[in-house]
Amino acid sequence: MTRSLSWLALCATLATAALLIWPAPREALDWQPTLAVSQPWRALTAAFVHWTPIHLAANLAGCAVLALLGWRARLGWRETTAALLALPLTQAGLLLKPELQRYAGLSGELHALVAIAALTLLTRPGRERLVGAGIALGLAAKLALEHPLGPALRATAGFDFPVAPFAHLCGALAGALAWGLTMRFNDKSARSPHGT
């Protein structure tokens, strides 16, 4: 399997967009469900808005880790396509938690990328399957410990902004859904010409 630059380009684009939007007025771009219909751009721009320098740094670090994971796992254009599809799905999922009145950040999308990477590795043989299982179990444990169906916002030690666990759940589920939709189009060459 060859390495593809598409995953790296995606992670770099997410990080760059977050850096470029950092000086912009947050209140004009963050997620606010009451403005979802009249200002639909917020469904995408909110992912790139960050509340504090620590919030931005944490998500930039997440982009870097996921870029490295994607490079090592040889994630390609199918996984990148799934990640692009997961972004609006993640943000749309926030509508299911109307008490989340404001949201910003890449963490939902980063959870989608983790799910996509884990599911891809689970389809591979040997050690890669074990790594995928470990990542999937770690993601599931993290989500469970965050109680995403509980309060909309949660204070977290070391962060100077409230975390929105439901966004993490939306991201992981959106990543899994997008992966499933995208991976349906696997190479025909991998299948037997006899249909078995």
Side-chain angles (χ1 to χ4, degrees):
M1 243 182 235
T2 60
R3 284 184 163 85
S4 169
L5 296 180
S6 60
W7 186 270
L8 292 178
L10 169 72
C11 292
T13 300
L14 294 174
T16 301
L19 286 168
L20 290 174
I21 286 182
W22 172 250
R26 290 159 186 79
E27 55 281 347
L29 302 170
D30 67 341
W31 171 252
Q32 296 180 40
T34 58
L35 300 175
V37 174
S38 63
Q39 298 178 14
W41 65 83
R42 291 174 181 270
L44 294 179
T45 59
F48 305 105
V49 173
H50 291 84
W51 301 123
T52 70
I54 291 174
H55 188 200
L56 177 63
N59 282 328
L60 292 177
C63 286
V65 169
L66 283 161
L68 179 60
L69 172 62
W71 177 256
R72 295 285 298 153
R74 299 175 316 277
L75 302 181
W77 67 269
R78 285 188 185 95
E79 291 84 8
T80 302
T81 301
L84 290 171
L85 180 58
L87 178 58
L89 291 174
T90 298
Q91 300 300 97
L94 298 178
L95 289 169
L96 299 173
K97 189 99 168 165
E99 61 269 32
L100 185 60
Q101 292 299 304
R102 307 223 27 202
Y103 173 76
L106 273 171
S107 60
E109 176 69 358
L110 296 178
H111 282 73
L113 270 62
V114 172
I116 291 164
L119 289 168
T120 298
L121 290 170
L122 281 168
T123 66
R124 297 181 182 167
R127 191 180 90 165
E128 286 183 289
R129 180 173 290 157
L130 292 176
V131 170
I135 293 170
L137 287 172
L139 178 60
K142 178 186 183 294
L143 292 172
L145 290 170
E146 288 182 333
H147 304 288
L149 301 179
L153 296 173
R154 157 169 272 139
T156 302
F159 290 122
D160 59 352
F161 60 93
V163 174
F166 188 72
H168 301 168
L169 176 63
C170 287
L173 293 176
L177 175 61
W179 182 87
L181 293 171
T182 308
M183 296 306 134
R184 291 181 50 204
F185 303 104
N186 281 331
D187 286 339
K188 305 275 188 224
S189 61
R191 297 182 184 144
S192 165
H194 306 292
T196 59

